[in-house]
Amino acid sequence: MSWLSSIDLSLFRFVNQTVSNPFLDRVMPWFSGNAIFLPAVALFALGLIWKGGLRGRIFALVLLSVFAFGDAFVISTLKRAIARPRPFLEHTATARLLVGEGASGSMPSSHTSTWFAVTFIAYIYYRRSWRVVLPVACLVGLSRIYVGAHYPSDVLVGAIIGSGYAAAGLSAWQGLWSAIGARWFRPIWQRMPSILNPTLATGPGITREQKESMYLAAGRLFIGAMLLSKLIYIASGVIQLSEDEAYQWLWSKHLALSYYSKPPMIAYAQFFGTHLWGDNAFGVRFLAPVLAASVSWMMLHFLARHWSARAGFWLALLMNCTPLLAVGSTLLTIDPLLVMFWMASQVTGWKAVQPNGTTRDWAWVGLWTGLAFLSKYSALYLIVCWMFFFLLWPPARLHLKKIGPWLALAILACSSIPVLIWNSQHEWITVEHVASHANLGSTWTWAQAKRYFVDFTGGQALLLNPFLFLAGIWAMSAIWRKRDPLLTFFFCIGPLVFLGHWLYSLHSRIQPNWVAPSVLPMLCLTVAYWERRVSSYKFPVSNEGGSKRPASEQARENRPIFVSPVLKCALVFGLVMLALLHDTNLVTKIFGRPLPALKDPLRRVRAWSDTAAVAGEARKKLLAEGKPVFIIADHYGLVGHISFYLPEARAQVKNDTFVYYQSSPRPQNQFYFWPGYLNHRRGQNAIFIREVDGPDLPADWLKRWLEGGKALDGIMDTTTETHPPPAPKELISEFDSVEDLGVRKIIYRDRVFRYVQTFACRNLR
């Protein structure tokens, strides 16, 4: 292989050095990677989805799926397996590097593989596209050699593999369509047997029953695909545990009837996941995508049974275009559990409230509501929701004369027994915590109320998707014109809770996740209302000229002509937000520069392993003095992260932990009720670690970031001096000496994500 290697190196030097000139030095880095390519491709894909017709939409779907699989799995796996050093690392003295240093291996070139995959797929759907795409792909491959990022063999192999996985992806799509199309989408499959040539032949019309069946099948396939992709995502390690996840993982190691701030269900959920898959991020989060898929499946079939399968399909699709729900499908906190049991209570509640509803149905309502209460205390809102439904829908009041609703209430009361027992043993600390969290005793000012109201409105519009938010507000106001029992039920179970929080935002600041249980019922109401508006409208027929047109101005006014554009905008916004919220590193690829660390939405789920490593390194140094050393942190989330990401701490987390929360005279979190270090670590040394504030971003940070200047990053990322406060007085009083070890920067991809300060504490008194 030596002669092949020498040819490879000679070709590299020829392209990288011999033919170099000032013009190519400016042009080739642009083809190698610039801030225009990805936005242009994204806009082109969105344009195909919007106006490309059937062929364009299928092309965009196939292209995105094959690209995601090839780049994230095939190429990344090969780079790690081959682990070939980049040419600028092997030939530091001669190689000319005109771009940033890549962190991954050299073989194969991912840029080249991507462009040749795009070329192959584009040629299948649009034969003339090769005239533009193929030259660009070749220039991209050549530029990777010219700028010093790859050897010629890397580019050649990348081109071959890119074409290969594109061909394999197309074959897989055709095989999948042949398998499922003939079974679940036969009317369409008969008219379009090949997905590689998506042209609908003429044929018999599709009946309503066939459409409903196909919508139901499409919804099931979509839910299954999303479940698989979410499981792969949480197993990939793109993000780390959030503070609440790490904190509640510790709860799962100390199972109890309840906890300081939350009911016990989250601890049991994490206990289940980690016993299946081990103490890793996948085990902690395993139930999050499973719960999301379960809710989607349940609501798909509920709407298919009581409204239409088309509405159920669009609900499943739009759930993933709602940022708040999308986040809940990857992070396992108390909200996904609450939403799951809340919606189960809604489904069984609608069955129970029918004229033929049975006592057994009401018992299920009570059980699901009780499980929702054991997930989050705000499940008690359901009692108020039912009161309003009985008030607004008189036929339902007949059930109040039966035992059913009262049995459900009794089951809910029984479910509260574990929480009541635990609180009776711990001075009713949860009641005090919840009351303080709701700011019931805070003072009120008009200026503060306006700020809270505007913040809540803007935040919810963004988190619920602005287009769906506006469509939902319209639907809530319009259902009163023609009362429908199911729409009224949806309103009482969800939007009523949302409106209550919206009103309460005039008093106190509302956290974004507090409205989580109301989002899905509000989305159900929105989808059902607009689906009925669209399906019920028919153009009157005019005999003049043989054409079909609205027969009156009233018909024109009633026609919901804006539904399709709004739906497309909601899908586009949702898909973009879905991608960015799952990996904000895409911002770097799109704009050529990363988000400032302080504005990165994923800051709370990144770089925690490095933070734990800082505490571990300081502990090892102090261990050299000969005494046992434990770790103290001043935040419950930091205690959880160190316990999870420090291997020696995770190994001892259940039996003999050495990571503690700072002692306090009053309960501040669950650690107060567990054994602390004061009575178990006397005479030992400790490392105290806390996160400290770094420099703030300037007010014009967005403008400066959009302008592309790197001076903005220097505000936080290149600052070496901070002014951290001294050690807490309580800590100083607990040890003979407390030494400040300084501030460390936790860096993720060349950005400072946080500052942590450590102290060496000697001889616990």
Side-chain angles (χ1 to χ4, degrees):
M1 297 293 291
S2 59
W3 67 276
L4 287 175
S5 178
S6 63
I7 293 175
D8 196 25
L9 181 58
S10 297
L11 287 173
F12 170 77
R13 288 173 174 168
F14 176 76
V15 176
N16 180 248
Q17 299 164 27
T18 305
V19 302
S20 63
N21 60 74
F23 174 74
L24 291 180
D25 285 353
R26 293 178 63 88
V27 172
M28 285 303 188
W30 190 88
F31 277 100
S32 178
N34 60 79
I36 297 178
F37 271 154
L38 274 179
V41 171
L43 290 174
F44 178 70
L46 294 175
L48 286 174
I49 294 173
W50 193 290
K51 291 291 187 180
L54 179 63
R55 180 179 294 270
R57 294 185 180 107
I58 292 178
F59 168 63
L61 174 64
V62 171
L63 182 64
L64 292 174
S65 62
V66 172
F67 167 73
F69 174 79
D71 186 67
F73 180 74
V74 177
I75 299 300
S76 297
T77 302
L78 288 174
K79 281 179 176 286
R80 288 193 297 268
I82 299 172
R84 184 183 191 183
R86 300 267 186 169
F88 57 79
L89 295 176
E90 289 191 313
H91 308 283
T92 55
T94 58
R96 299 170 62 248
L97 183 63
L98 305 182
V99 294
E101 297 183 1
S104 58
S106 186
M107 171 76 80
S109 167
S110 59
H111 286 71
T112 309
S113 67
T114 297
W115 275 99
F116 273 86
V118 170
T119 302
F120 192 98
I121 297 173
Y123 175 75
I124 296 298
Y125 287 93
Y126 302 96
R127 294 295 184 181
R128 297 181 181 180
S129 63
W130 70 271
R131 300 176 183 178
V132 175
V133 185
L134 182 59
V136 173
C138 293
L139 278 172
V140 169
L142 184 63
S143 71
R144 298 302 288 169
I145 306 170
Y146 187 90
V147 300
H150 287 286
Y151 293 102
S153 58
D154 302 335
V155 172
L156 178 61
V157 172
I160 295 172
I161 292 177
S163 302
Y165 72 66
L170 288 169
S171 178
W173 269 107
Q174 179 57 41
L176 184 64
W177 176 242
S178 298
I180 68 173
R183 181 177 180 182
W184 293 329
F185 306 96
R186 177 167 287 276
I188 298 178
W189 178 80
Q190 288 176 334
R191 298 169 60 185
M192 189 187 71
S194 173
I195 202 172
L196 305 183
N197 184 25
T199 302
L200 281 174
T202 57
I206 302 175
T207 65
R208 176 179 173 80
E209 291 73 18
Q210 289 175 325
K211 287 182 179 180
E212 288 290 285
S213 176
M214 288 190 292
Y215 272 118
L216 190 60
R220 291 168 176 170
L221 289 173
F222 177 76
I223 292 169
M226 291 305 300
L227 172 61
L228 180 61
S229 64
K230 294 285 186 180
L231 290 174
I232 294 174
Y233 174 76
I234 64 174
S236 66
V238 174
I239 58 174
Q240 297 182 345
L241 297 185
S242 66
E243 291 178 335
D244 282 348
E245 287 177 306
Y247 177 41
Q248 289 152 6
W249 169 74
L250 288 174
W251 293 7
S252 70
K253 303 302 176 185
H254 304 82
L255 296 181
L257 294 176
S258 189
Y259 297 90
Y260 167 79
S261 57
K262 305 289 189 297
M265 188 62 70
I266 183 63
Y268 287 90
Q270 289 208 14
F271 177 86
F272 176 77
T274 52
H275 272 67
L276 277 180
W277 306 104
D279 286 319
N280 50 58
F282 183 81
V284 170
R285 290 193 174 123
F286 168 69
L287 283 179
V290 172
L291 291 171
S294 300
V295 172
S296 299
W297 187 277
M298 179 170 55
M299 296 313 300
L300 168 68
H301 289 83
F302 177 80
L303 285 180
R305 187 163 55 250
H306 298 289
W307 200 261
S308 73
R310 179 169 71 168
F313 167 77
W314 283 111
L315 177 67
L317 189 62
L318 293 174
M319 283 174 62
N320 290 278
C321 295
T322 307
L324 187 62
L325 295 178
V327 171
S329 66
T330 54
L331 305 184
L332 184 62
T333 60
I334 57 176
D335 290 317
L337 292 165
L338 172 64
V339 171
M340 170 64 192
F341 297 128
W342 184 289
M343 297 311 296
S345 175
Q346 171 185 296
V347 169
T348 54
W350 178 248
K351 183 179 180 182
V353 82
Q354 299 306 305
N356 59 350
T358 64
T359 303
R360 181 180 179 182
D361 296 330
W362 283 107
W364 279 109
V365 174
L367 176 62
W368 294 125
T369 307
L371 292 175
F373 173 79
L374 291 174
S375 301
K376 192 173 182 178
Y377 297 125
S378 56
L380 294 177
Y381 293 153
L382 277 169
I383 298 175
V384 181
C385 294
W386 276 105
M387 291 172 59
F388 270 90
F389 181 68
F390 287 132
L391 179 65
L392 294 176
W393 197 252
R397 298 175 200 164
L398 296 175
H399 288 276
L400 294 176
K401 300 177 182 179
K402 303 177 183 179
I403 194 175
W406 310 109
L407 175 62
L409 198 59
I411 294 174
L412 172 60
C414 291
S415 69
S416 67
I417 291 176
V419 176
L420 295 175
I421 292 176
W422 188 89
N423 272 273
S424 67
Q425 297 170 346
H426 297 86
E427 300 179 356
W428 303 99
I429 190 63
T430 303
V431 177
E432 179 182 335
H433 169 76
V434 172
S436 63
H437 209 50
N439 297 319
L440 296 176
S442 61
T443 57
W444 185 89
T445 63
W446 175 240
Q448 197 176 55
K450 287 192 297 184
R451 184 172 71 253
Y452 290 162
F453 184 81
V454 171
D455 289 348
F456 177 82
T457 305
Q460 292 303 317
L462 184 64
L463 289 173
L464 302 185
N465 192 317
F467 303 97
L468 296 179
F469 179 76
L470 293 175
I473 298 300
W474 186 319
M476 281 189 282
S477 62
I479 62 170
W480 306 107
R481 299 174 187 172
K482 186 177 180 180
R483 298 280 292 277
D484 181 277
L486 183 55
L487 295 183
T488 304
F489 183 70
F490 283 149
F491 175 82
C492 293
I493 296 298
L496 188 66
V497 176
F498 180 84
L499 294 175
H501 281 90
W502 205 352
L503 181 62
Y504 193 69
S505 67
L506 291 170
H507 176 272
S508 301
R509 184 177 298 280
I510 304 296
Q511 297 301 319
N513 66 309
W514 288 5
V515 300
S518 69
V519 174
L520 195 47
M522 186 160 64
L523 196 57
C524 290
L525 171 64
T526 304
V527 171
Y529 171 77
W530 287 111
E531 195 273 342
R532 177 65 57 85
R533 280 286 306 272
V534 172
S535 61
S536 64
Y537 180 81
K538 300 185 186 309
F539 283 104
V541 178
S542 172
N543 293 324
E544 298 179 6
S547 61
K548 294 183 178 180
R549 60 181 182 178
S552 66
E553 291 298 325
Q554 184 179 2
R556 292 190 185 96
E557 292 173 1
N558 291 335
R559 181 189 176 193
I561 57 175
F562 53 84
V563 171
S564 180
V566 169
L567 179 61
K568 290 178 180 178
C569 289
L571 289 174
V572 169
F573 178 86
L575 291 174
V576 171
M577 290 297 294
L578 184 67
L580 293 179
L581 286 176
H582 281 77
D583 190 2
T584 51
N585 293 327
L586 293 173
V587 174
T588 306
K589 296 183 178 181
I590 295 173
F591 294 99
R593 51 191 177 277
L595 281 173
L598 289 175
K599 296 299 180 180
D600 192 328
L602 297 185
R603 180 172 176 260
R604 66 186 184 120
V605 290
R606 280 185 170 151
W608 287 114
S609 56
D610 295 333
T611 305
V614 169
E617 291 171 7
R619 178 174 179 265
K620 286 181 180 179
K621 291 180 181 179
L622 196 56
L623 279 171
E625 297 184 5
K627 281 188 176 183
V629 179
F630 58 98
I631 298 174
I632 309 171
D634 71 335
H635 190 275
Y636 67 84
L638 190 53
V639 176
H641 281 126
I642 295 173
S643 300
F644 187 86
Y645 286 109
L646 197 62
E648 55 268 33
R650 182 165 53 190
Q652 298 179 220
V653 68
K654 189 172 182 179
N655 299 323
D656 187 23
T657 183
F658 59 82
V659 184
Y660 298 91
Y661 179 78
Q662 185 181 358
S663 63
S664 61
R666 288 280 304 161
Q668 297 179 359
N669 48 51
Q670 186 61 32
F671 294 110
Y672 180 87
F673 304 103
W674 294 343
Y677 57 86
L678 291 179
N679 296 325
H680 294 79
R681 298 284 180 175
R682 292 190 182 277
Q684 298 182 13
N685 296 338
I687 293 295
F688 176 71
I689 182 170
R690 66 182 176 189
E691 184 175 355
V692 294
D693 294 332
D696 292 328
L697 287 172
D700 63 341
W701 72 269
L702 182 58
K703 177 183 176 182
R704 294 168 63 178
W705 184 80
L706 291 173
E707 290 173 350
K710 291 192 174 182
L712 176 64
D713 295 335
I715 297 296
M716 182 170 182
D717 297 353
T718 63
T719 300
T720 57
E721 295 183 2
T722 59
H723 302 282
K729 295 180 180 179
E730 297 81 1
L731 189 74
I732 295 175
S733 66
E734 293 171 352
F735 291 87
D736 285 347
S737 67
V738 176
E739 176 189 356
D740 188 349
L741 299 180
V743 176
R744 290 279 299 273
K745 295 187 291 185
I746 307 301
I747 299 175
Y748 173 83
R749 294 202 175 191
D750 300 324
R751 289 176 290 164
V752 178
F753 261 51
R754 61 185 57 89
Y755 292 89
V756 293
Q757 183 184 21
T758 54
F759 295 85
C761 310
R762 293 177 175 86
N763 194 26
L764 178 65
R765 295 172 180 171

